[in-house]
Amino acid sequence: MAMFQASDWLVPTTDLAPDRGMPVDGVIDISRLCAMAEAAGYRAPVEIEVLSRRWWARDPIEVLGVVLERHATAC
């Protein structure tokens, strides 16, 4: 099984690894990438990757709600 992983990149960034953005917050066109994957026949899960100390410090239930909202918006 293949997987599509969505993450975003913030500009400016404070750290190369743990300062990525929640999808839709950064400069990567997640919607376009999702559309391209779907057009190519991709129908498997989309994993939302949150590598961010700011998001890790927040309540996990709140973060999950934002992830679900962003997934519906982006993909």
Side-chain angles (χ1 to χ4, degrees), residues 28-44:
I28 298 173
D29 190 346
I30 304 287
S31 295
R32 182 170 180 249
L33 293 175
C34 286
M36 290 170 58
E38 187 176 311
Y42 185 78
R43 301 289 184 268

Side-chain angles (χ1 to χ4, degrees), residues 22-23 48 50 55 58-73:
M22 182 70 72
I48 303 296
V50 183
W55 284 100
R58 293 170 77 165
D59 175 62
I61 299 300
E62 175 191 1
V63 174
L64 179 59
V66 174
V67 166
L68 292 172
E69 177 185 298
R70 298 301 176 82
H71 181 273
T73 301

